[in-house]
Amino acid sequence: MMATKVVLQDWIRFPQAPTSADAHLSWNGVGSYTDAMYRILLHTQWMDFPRHMIAGMTASAFRLVVDRRLTAESISAYNWMAENFVAADFLGVTTGQHGGFSFEPTFPLYQKQAVLDIKASIDRGIGAILWHDQFVIVTGYDDVGRVLFICESKGNEVIRLPYDSLGRNSTPYWYYQVLEACAPIDQWEVCKESLIQAVYKWETHDYMLPSQDYACGAAAYAAIAVVLQTETYDAEQAAAVLRYYAKSRLDIASYVAGLKHLSIQMDQVIYEYELLANLYTMIVEVIDDSIAWDSREPDCVQNVIKLIRKAGAAEQRAIDAIKRAFPETIGNRFDDIGLR
């Protein structure tokens, strides 16, 4: 007989009952795909790398995308189907994933299949990744109550998400990914490839995003400066975006610090990313002066713009150093550096 309720209790650090909450509850902060993947990898014991290694090896940390209003949506604006598949593949993880729009007439069919796929993953003892206005982890289900138990990728609070609410978010996008198995990888080859992907992300606009609304890689820095200069932004959302990218640049600095042996040119890569992380730390220190930032105090904003421009120059030098470190591999890919 099939189980009607399965909960992966060891996801919860301290014993507590799942709480009832509105299906559209949003936690503080933004859970990224990397956060969710990292926590599942630890839970399954497939890998025990620190989080910054997962962020770096998947190349996710190198992503830099902003919309031209600098809203919090910038953080999750990328091709989930393509990039999350590749991220898992880099780690040797095979996955099944689906996504789309909840307004499509076929959505109810996809929703039912999603519940079945996620329950099957839970039955295997593996949490599933779900988009619920951020990336969260499904840790159990209850067929009697017809609910999934989900938790934020960083916290321990569990809430109930009705089966019928799965995929119904504040935006029309739905997405889930189940992890199936993990095969051995050549860690250092993956690390080398992640740096090459960093070049691709820096130089290539995501074809899924309209260029009039979004800026990617190198172009993102100019877009940030323009938005701040013209004051067409929400101070709180802009701060969230800058803090998110400050964290990702700290992750990169920690990641590349352990890759010195990959090339004699890595010293320069390491130096520039450390400088970049320090510049972002300074940016966060400025915007943490919430009164000056929220009121768009001119000196405060101009200071951030100045630091952003310095950060853009530092990241460009880091990318140039990566290209010097692996000229043959990058050169052989001609105009498609992203080709693996």
Side-chain angles (χ1 to χ4, degrees):
M1 182 176 176
M2 293 291 289
T4 59
K5 182 175 181 178
V6 179
V7 181
L8 304 178
Q9 294 287 2
D10 50 338
W11 279 100
I12 312 307
R13 198 169 298 146
F14 305 106
Q16 57 180 309
T19 59
S20 296
D22 183 84
H24 295 291
L25 179 148
S26 294
W27 288 280
N28 292 326
V30 177
S32 69
Y33 173 81
T34 299
D35 294 327
M37 171 65 83
Y38 169 64
R39 193 166 179 186
I40 292 177
L41 290 174
L42 290 183
H43 181 259
T44 56
Q45 298 182 342
W46 285 348
M47 291 184 181
D48 60 358
F49 293 124
R51 185 193 172 285
H52 68 261
M53 285 294 292
I54 300 301
M57 290 170 69
T58 59
S60 301
F62 295 101
R63 183 186 309 110
L64 182 63
V65 177
V66 296
D67 71 32
R68 297 187 185 278
R69 293 175 296 121
L70 213 54
T71 68
E73 182 196 1
S74 302
I75 296 167
S76 57
Y78 66 94
N79 185 343
W80 297 344
M81 294 294 286
E83 294 203 30
N84 292 350
F85 171 82
V86 170
D89 186 52
F90 272 24
L91 300 175
V93 176
T94 54
T95 62
Q97 61 177 9
H98 293 283
F101 299 97
S102 57
F103 55 71
E104 293 177 336
T106 53
F107 171 70
L109 299 176
Y110 282 107
Q111 186 186 56
K112 290 179 181 178
Q113 186 60 49
V115 171
L116 293 175
D117 290 345
I118 290 171
K119 286 170 54 181
S121 184
I122 297 297
D123 289 341
R124 297 194 304 270
I126 305 172
I129 298 174
L130 174 70
W131 176 256
H132 184 59
D133 290 330
Q134 64 174 316
F135 287 103
V136 300
I137 303 167
V138 186
T139 64
Y141 65 87
D142 179 358
D143 276 340
V144 175
R146 294 186 55 77
V147 295
L148 298 172
F149 300 129
I150 64 175
C151 70
E152 185 183 15
S153 52
K154 295 177 183 177
N156 300 314
E157 180 188 9
V158 172
I159 70 166
R160 299 169 185 265
L161 178 68
Y163 290 170
D164 292 341
S165 294
L166 185 148
R168 299 189 185 281
N169 302 297
S170 61
T171 56
Y173 311 116
W174 63 268
Y175 171 88
Y176 71 96
Q177 184 185 66
V178 293
L179 282 56
E180 298 164 348
C182 186
I185 59 172
D186 184 328
Q187 178 184 345
W188 304 121
E189 279 300 311
V190 170
C191 291
K192 175 182 173 182
E193 181 59 41
S194 71
L195 294 174
I196 295 169
Q197 294 298 314
V199 176
Y200 176 75
K201 291 181 185 297
W202 179 254
E203 297 182 345
T204 310
H205 183 86
D206 187 327
Y207 69 90
M208 293 287 287
L209 303 175
S211 58
Q212 67 269 25
D213 299 322
Y214 296 90
C216 304
Y221 282 103
I224 294 172
V226 168
V227 173
L228 295 179
Q229 197 75 57
T230 56
E231 298 188 359
T232 54
Y233 62 92
D234 176 275
E236 184 176 347
Q237 292 193 56
V241 173
L242 292 173
R243 287 193 178 98
Y244 178 84
Y245 285 122
K247 178 64 172 65
S248 71
R249 270 54 202 161
L250 285 169
D251 283 341
I252 295 173
S254 298
Y255 174 60
V256 299
L259 307 182
K260 185 175 181 178
H261 64 285
L262 292 183
S263 166
I264 59 173
Q265 295 288 339
M266 283 302 295
D267 281 347
Q268 189 65 28
V269 176
I270 293 168
Y271 173 81
E272 296 297 350
Y273 276 124
E274 183 178 2
L275 175 60
L276 178 64
N278 290 337
L279 286 167
Y280 268 99
T281 297
M282 294 167 67
I283 290 170
V284 171
E285 288 174 352
V286 175
I287 63 179
D288 277 348
D289 183 355
S290 57
I291 295 177
W293 175 257
D294 291 344
S295 63
R296 293 182 171 83
E297 200 277 318
D299 287 344
C300 175
V301 176
Q302 289 304 315
N303 196 0
V304 172
I305 292 173
K306 180 180 177 181
L307 290 168
I308 279 293
R309 286 174 174 153
K310 286 184 177 180
E315 192 153 358
Q316 180 65 65
R317 292 193 300 270
I319 294 298
D320 291 342
I322 291 174
K323 294 170 80 169
R324 290 194 298 271
F326 309 107
E328 184 176 1
T329 304
I330 292 175
N332 286 342
R333 297 187 187 182
F334 301 99
D335 294 327
D336 193 355
I337 299 173
L339 179 67
R340 294 186 289 134

